[in-house]
Amino acid sequence: MCDRVREGILVGCGNPLLDISAVVPLNFLQKYSMNEDDAILAEDRHMPIYGELVEGYQAEFLAGGSVQNSLRIAQWILRQPRVAVFFGCVGEDRYANILKEKAQAAGLDVHYQVKKDVPTGTCAVLITGTHRSLCANLAAANNFTIDHLEEPSNKALVDNAQYYYISGFFLTVNPPSIMQVAATAHAKQRPFLMNLSAPFISQFYMAPLLAALPYVDIIFGNEAEAQAFAEAQQWPSGDLREIGKRLVAMEKKNPTRPRIAILTQGCDPVLLIQQDSVQEFPVTKLAVHEIVDTNGAGDAFVGGFLSQFVQGKSLDVCIRCGNYAAGHIIKNPGCTYSGEPEFV
Ligand code: 26A
């Protein structure tokens, strides 16, 4: 059983999205010029995807959105409600109700900004074997504004937290909010954690990413995201360990707490990079028949990590719990869990 932690100790901001998930043939991806394991923002040409999935592929509707997923998973493992607070923007519709219901059922304390007349965001999840390709139509999620964080009750929640987590995905929506949360974390000397989220973030949002990075105490990413960052920085080596070492050595506002990078690589070991040291944490490889889908695996890893980090556990325990959570989520549809957590 976990030690009790203070309510609201963890605050996250992100895009609340309802996932519309289906198993599709490869030519479905080709039709929309998508690759296996993409994560992209929908353009006009992608808009028919959502209807097609519902009409032709028995799509399932699942709670999604990267940060909200991580916080739901952290809540599941903690078994103590309202440890985590989530901010994001939704519409005033049925999808928003579903998201809120699922988040609250997990124990997450959601404080959505509501944008009337704009639909809640959705994400097409195209499953091909053990791969998942994501196409997000942010819709209402793209309307998040910093004034939501400045409302007195929300500002109090941000001020009272001890740990802050924001995705790289949120850089596409509202960098000023990210900078404000980062500055709060810095002023109070509290950890600020971020995720590289997807290769396109490093490719197209490097400027706001570089503005936030000096505040980041722990950076998460997978191998493709780390490599996209390295390429965008024109670093000579594609070696993950080298990339991690360079990432942790980049400018940091609070040099007394050196940056940590945690890089996942599917079923290969997780790398923990601190200054010049690289440690590996093995991942239990699942048999193909155990895999339902890999959607949400990276988010669940972060959720498991956060559930221990907010309890002040060692990085070793945090990463083991991340691996446990990711393994569990892969055996379930989307970023959902079943039964009680079994992490000890
Ligand atoms: C800005 N973009 C593209 C996104 C996302 C996103 N969450 C926030 N912003 N694109 C996909 N997702 C979510 O990632 C989860 C899997 O890691 C999906 O909703 C999915 O639940």
Side-chain angles (χ1 to χ4, degrees), residues 15-27:
N15 303 322
L17 305 177
L18 192 68
D19 286 353
I20 304 179
S21 174
V23 176
V24 296
L26 270 177
N27 63 13

Side-chain angles (χ1 to χ4, degrees), residues 15 17 19 40-41 64-66 69 123 134 136 138 169 172 200 295-296 299:
N15 303 322
L17 305 177
D19 286 353
I40 61 167
L41 280 172
S66 175
N69 284 342
C123 181
L134 309 170
L138 296 183
F169 280 138
T172 70
F200 87 87
N295 177 25
D299 302 335

Side-chain angles (χ1 to χ4, degrees), residues 290-304:
E290 292 180 285
I291 300 177
V292 175
D293 67 60
T294 51
N295 177 25
D299 302 335
F301 174 85
V302 173

Side-chain angles (χ1 to χ4, degrees), residues 67-137:
V67 172
Q68 190 174 237
N69 284 342
S70 296
L71 299 186
R72 281 191 301 104
I73 298 306
Q75 281 294 162
W76 171 61
I77 292 173
L78 283 160
R79 306 185 208 206
Q80 181 199 328
R82 304 167 70 85
V83 169
V85 173
F86 176 73
F87 297 110
C89 187
V90 294
E92 200 174 45
D93 51 20
R94 197 166 61 87
Y95 288 2
N97 293 338
I98 298 174
L99 284 182
K100 191 167 193 174
E101 196 184 290
K102 299 280 183 203
Q104 288 177 337
L108 184 57
D109 186 16
V110 287
H111 293 261
Y112 293 143
Q113 183 172 20
V114 179
K115 180 83 179 172
K116 290 184 185 154
D117 311 322
V118 183
T120 295
T122 51
C123 181
V125 180
L126 312 176
I127 311 283
T128 50
T130 59
H131 304 277
R132 100 288 175 260
S133 213
L134 309 170
C135 181
N137 174 21

